[in-house]
Amino acid sequence: MIRIESDRLHLRTFVEKDAKDLAKLMQKNKYFWATYEPLHDAAFYTEEAQYRKILEGIHLQRSNREYSFGIFTKDEQQLIGHISLYAIKRLPYSSAFIGYSIDEQFTRQGIASEAVKEVVQFGFNVLNLHRIEAYVSPKNIASIKVLEKSNFKREGLLRELLYINGSWEDHYIYALLQGEYF
C-alpha cells in the first residue's frame, strides 16, 4: 500500500476493504459525475463490482501500469474521491494519464488541486515519468481550472474522443512535463 499525506488529505492506494466505501461514493455521485463520464449499468455501482475493480487495480499496480488512490479526509475517516495515474508507458514514452473525481459535497474546496499536486509529484519523483497527460471535456470548467492551476498545458482538442451518454464528446488534451514541474 502506498500512502501520501498532504496538508488536508490522506491519499492511499485502494485495498480490498475499501470496496464498500468506494461503491457508496460511486452510487452517491453517479449522476453528478455522469455529466462528464458515462453512466454505467447498475451492477457497476455494487460493492462486488468495486471489489473486482480494486483487485484489478492491485494487479496493475504490481505490474507498474496503474496507481489508483483513494482520496480521504486527513483523519482517513471518509473517502471523498479517487485519483489515478493510469495507462503508464515506459520508454520510449515514459508517460501516464491522470484522472480524478471528487465527491460533489467536497467540490470547490481545492481538494482536487491538492490531490493532483501530490500524485503528480509521486509520478515524477517516484515513478520517474517524463510526461503526465489528462483528457478533459471543454464543458468541465472546474477540472480545466484544476489542471491549469497545476501547470498543465493545453496541447489540443481531440474531436469526438469519448462516447458519453449517447453522444461523441470532444476533449482537450493537457500535459505536464517533468522538466516543467521542477
Side-chain angles (χ1 to χ4, degrees):
M1 181 182 340
I2 299 168
R3 296 177 181 271
I4 301 172
E5 297 285 335
S6 70
D7 291 339
R8 298 179 298 156
L9 305 174
H10 178 91
L11 284 72
R12 67 168 170 75
T13 50
F14 284 114
V15 294
E16 292 93 331
K17 71 178 180 68
D18 293 320
K20 184 176 184 178
D21 289 338
L22 186 54
K24 284 182 187 175
L25 180 71
M26 295 290 192
Q27 291 163 8
K28 179 181 176 190
N29 290 281
K30 176 180 182 176
Y31 295 107
F32 175 63
W33 292 342
T35 306
Y36 307 113
E37 55 188 64
L39 272 172
H40 301 277
D41 61 19
F44 176 83
Y45 301 96
T46 65
E47 184 177 343
E48 181 182 324
Q50 295 308 309
Y51 181 82
R52 286 192 309 270
K53 187 176 171 198
I54 288 170
L55 288 179
E56 179 184 3
I58 291 169
H59 173 74
L60 290 170
Q61 181 180 324
R62 286 182 182 141
S63 61
N64 203 30
R65 294 189 347 234
E66 180 175 304
Y67 292 83
S68 294
F69 296 88
I71 302 170
F72 295 87
T73 53
K74 188 68 170 183
D75 59 7
E76 203 178 339
Q77 294 298 311
Q78 186 175 2
L79 178 63
I80 60 172
H82 58 87
I83 185 166
S84 298
L85 283 174
Y86 63 97
I88 296 172
K89 297 177 188 167
R90 292 297 166 194
L91 288 174
Y93 296 100
S94 190
S95 67
F97 280 91
I98 192 167
Y100 47 87
S101 296
I102 305 297
D103 185 328
E104 183 176 16
Q105 176 185 344
F106 290 89
T107 59
R108 304 196 189 298
Q109 298 177 32
I111 289 170
S113 295
E114 192 171 326
V116 165
K117 176 186 172 200
E118 296 299 328
V119 171
V120 162
Q121 187 173 352
F122 172 79
F124 288 144
N125 293 340
V126 177
L127 301 180
N128 198 30
L129 296 172
H130 173 70
R131 176 183 173 90
I132 299 176
E133 302 172 318
Y135 292 146
V136 62
S137 167
K139 300 173 196 171
N140 193 342
I141 303 304
S143 193
I144 289 170
K145 287 179 181 177
V146 166
L147 292 170
E148 291 179 352
K149 183 178 178 182
S150 301
N151 293 322
F152 280 72
K153 306 290 185 260
R154 184 184 308 171
E155 295 187 334
L157 178 70
L158 302 171
R159 298 175 305 129
E160 297 185 6
L161 177 70
L162 295 175
Y163 191 74
I164 299 177
N165 305 319
S167 65
W168 287 100
E169 298 287 336
D170 296 347
H171 277 66
Y172 291 130
I173 184 165
Y174 276 78
L176 179 62
L177 303 178
Q178 185 181 46
E180 297 169 339
Y181 175 73
F182 294 108

